Amino acid sequence: MYKRSFLDISSLKREEIDGLVRLAARLKAEKKAGIEQQYLQGKNIVLLFAKDSTRTRCSFEVGAFDQGARVTYIGSSGSQMGKKESIEDTARVLGRMYDGIEYRGYGQEIVETLAEYSGVPVWNGLTNESHPTQFLADLLTITEHSDKPLEQIKVCFAGTADNNVALSLMVGCAKMGIEYSAAAPAAYHPDATLVERLRRENGARITISEDVATAVAGADFIYTDVWVSMGEPTEVWAERIERLAPYQVNRRMMELTGNPNCRFMHCLPAFHDLETTVAQEIHRQFGLSEMEVSDEVFESEASIVFDEAENRMHTIKAIMVATLSEQPETTF
Ligand code: CP
């Protein structure tokens, strides 16, 4: 992975994904044992966040600090990029100053352009189309919470099965041999051509169904995400709530899996209570006090969402180390 960018899951081989998760697990164990080795001393990293973030930003910052690198954070209004300076020119400038560039924002073509013109590794911190660093954290979390070989694990995504998180999860599961299903209304099914390609190229076992019972049967992990993603207009709320309400992850859905050991996953943030201004506004307009997941499931023993959130940092750290360090033990 040395000197390579990390732009989407599709462009990675199974061995590379496996190598990144193994490296993350090692760095995690070494950090907890107080024996972490620093591979990024002297490196400078810039974080471009055109959209807000808690987990991804903090993961890049803490991961870089742990590894001895220095970080510059630039928010949505903190640079000339896209306003007075093109993506291409910005990439060429940043590539002269930094060893690696993270980008969170809009189209996938933006991270691809940054990678093409900067000459340094670029990491996708979320685009409209994909959220590949999230998948690595999901995979590490799945391996920590299951004793089964990957080929015997089933992951079911409930809700907006065509959003960036769900698509990276589906592609990642296909690459890793994990069975994947989605419980979703037809309007939010992933592109059928992509599903067919994953089946053809990876022998992927993928079921996309409007029927909740069919999709969740036998699942080891139920995964969901917010019904409206960052950047989408508030006008879509009414339609999303009406269509997605039957796909809320709640106790009934968890029981429908037939698997008492089924775990609940969520990339976060989650609308499971009324403790946020957005949730309060939704409650005022639509009367809902929880959305994609019930508070009962979110707070249950089955919920592993905070392990998953912590693993964002260990896996993002692994991505930075693998792409910026040429030490033999980080090279694969
Ligand atoms: N899951 C995730 O990407 O979280 P943030 O939006 O807080 O980075």
Side-chain angles (χ1 to χ4, degrees):
M1 298 292 294
Y2 179 54
K3 289 193 171 171
R4 282 188 36 203
S5 288
F6 183 85
L7 303 181
D8 61 14
I9 295 296
S10 305
S11 57
L12 295 172
K13 296 191 185 96
R14 177 174 176 156
E15 312 84 80
E16 292 164 345
I17 298 172
D18 192 50
L20 286 168
V21 170
R22 282 172 189 269
L23 178 59
R26 177 166 74 77
L27 292 170
K28 179 177 181 177
E30 290 176 358
K31 174 167 178 158
K32 289 186 187 290
I35 55 167
E36 181 171 350
Q37 184 181 337
Q38 290 191 327
Y39 294 102
L40 301 183
Q41 284 177 6
K43 303 290 185 190
N44 292 297
I45 286 162
V46 63
L47 309 178
L48 305 173
F49 277 83
K51 290 180 179 173
D52 290 342
S53 165
T54 298
R55 278 145 292 272
T56 310
R57 174 185 176 174
C58 296
S59 295
F60 272 101
E61 293 205 10
V62 173
F65 297 148
D66 280 353
Q67 282 292 311
R70 291 175 291 257
V71 169
T72 302
Y73 172 83
I74 298 178
S76 58
S77 63
S79 78
Q80 314 278 20
M81 186 168 96
K83 296 184 279 279
K84 287 170 69 180
E85 194 159 37
S86 66
I87 309 293
E88 290 87 339
D89 290 355
T90 305
R92 286 184 285 187
V93 171
L94 295 178
R96 299 288 183 109
M97 300 184 187
Y98 291 94
D99 300 290
I101 300 170
E102 181 275 356
Y103 171 80
R104 162 172 287 204
Y106 298 93
Q108 183 72 19
E109 71 282 359
I110 298 174
V111 279
E112 286 168 6
T113 303
L114 286 169
E116 184 181 346
Y117 284 86
S118 69
V120 297
V122 172
W123 310 298
N124 177 354
L126 178 144
T127 59
N128 293 340
E129 292 82 4
S130 69
H131 199 0
T133 63
Q134 180 68 51
F135 174 70
L136 278 198
D138 299 338
L139 183 58
L140 176 59
T141 312
I142 286 168
T143 60
E144 289 174 341
H145 284 273
S146 178
D147 296 331
K148 296 180 181 177
L150 295 182
E151 284 72 16
Q152 291 176 24
I153 292 173
K154 176 175 176 178
V155 173
C156 175
F157 185 95
T160 49
D162 62 343
N163 81 1
N164 45 14
V165 170
L167 291 177
S168 289
L169 184 67
M170 179 173 74
V171 173
C173 285
K175 292 241 169 191
M176 301 309 290
I178 296 172
E179 184 178 355
Y180 177 86
S181 66
Y188 305 115
H189 281 190
D191 178 42
T193 313
L194 171 62
V195 174
E196 266 318 306
R197 184 165 61 77
L198 292 172
R199 288 186 180 128
R200 195 173 59 248
E201 292 178 1
N202 302 93
R205 292 163 298 147
I206 299 176
T207 304
I208 311 294
S209 178
E210 289 185 82
D211 182 60
V212 171
T214 300
V216 306
D220 299 289
F221 297 89
I222 298 280
Y223 196 124
T224 193
D225 189 7
V226 292
W227 291 343
V228 177
S229 297
M230 281 183 289
E232 292 191 292
T234 49
E235 292 75 47
V236 303
W237 271 115
E239 182 201 345
R240 295 281 166 90
I241 288 169
E242 186 184 343
R243 284 188 162 150
L244 291 162
Y247 300 90
Q248 181 196 61
V249 181
N250 49 36
R251 183 163 20 142
R252 181 175 169 275
M253 184 185 283
M254 296 298 284
E255 287 172 356
L256 271 176
T257 65
N259 178 1
N261 296 318
C262 182
R263 297 283 177 259
F264 170 68
M265 299 179 71
H266 193 306
C267 53
L268 303 182
F271 291 122
H272 62 98
D273 59 20
L274 294 177
E275 299 300 317
T276 64
T277 52
V278 173
Q280 287 159 15
E281 179 57 23
I282 302 282
H283 182 254
R284 192 186 65 73
Q285 284 190 43
F286 302 101
L288 296 180
S289 53
E290 48 194 23
M291 281 180 279
E292 73 275 7
V293 56
S294 69
D295 195 51
E296 181 184 21
V297 167
F298 186 89
E299 298 292 357
S300 72
E301 289 289 311
S303 176
I304 54 173
V305 297
F306 295 108
D307 290 346
E308 192 181 356
E310 179 190 331
N311 283 339
R312 295 297 310 286
M313 195 280 286
H314 303 297
T315 44
I316 280 174
K317 184 191 286 179
I319 293 165
M320 290 190 288
V321 168
T323 54
L324 294 184
S325 162
E326 53 182 335
Q327 296 302 313
E329 67 272 25
T330 64
T331 305
F332 47 88

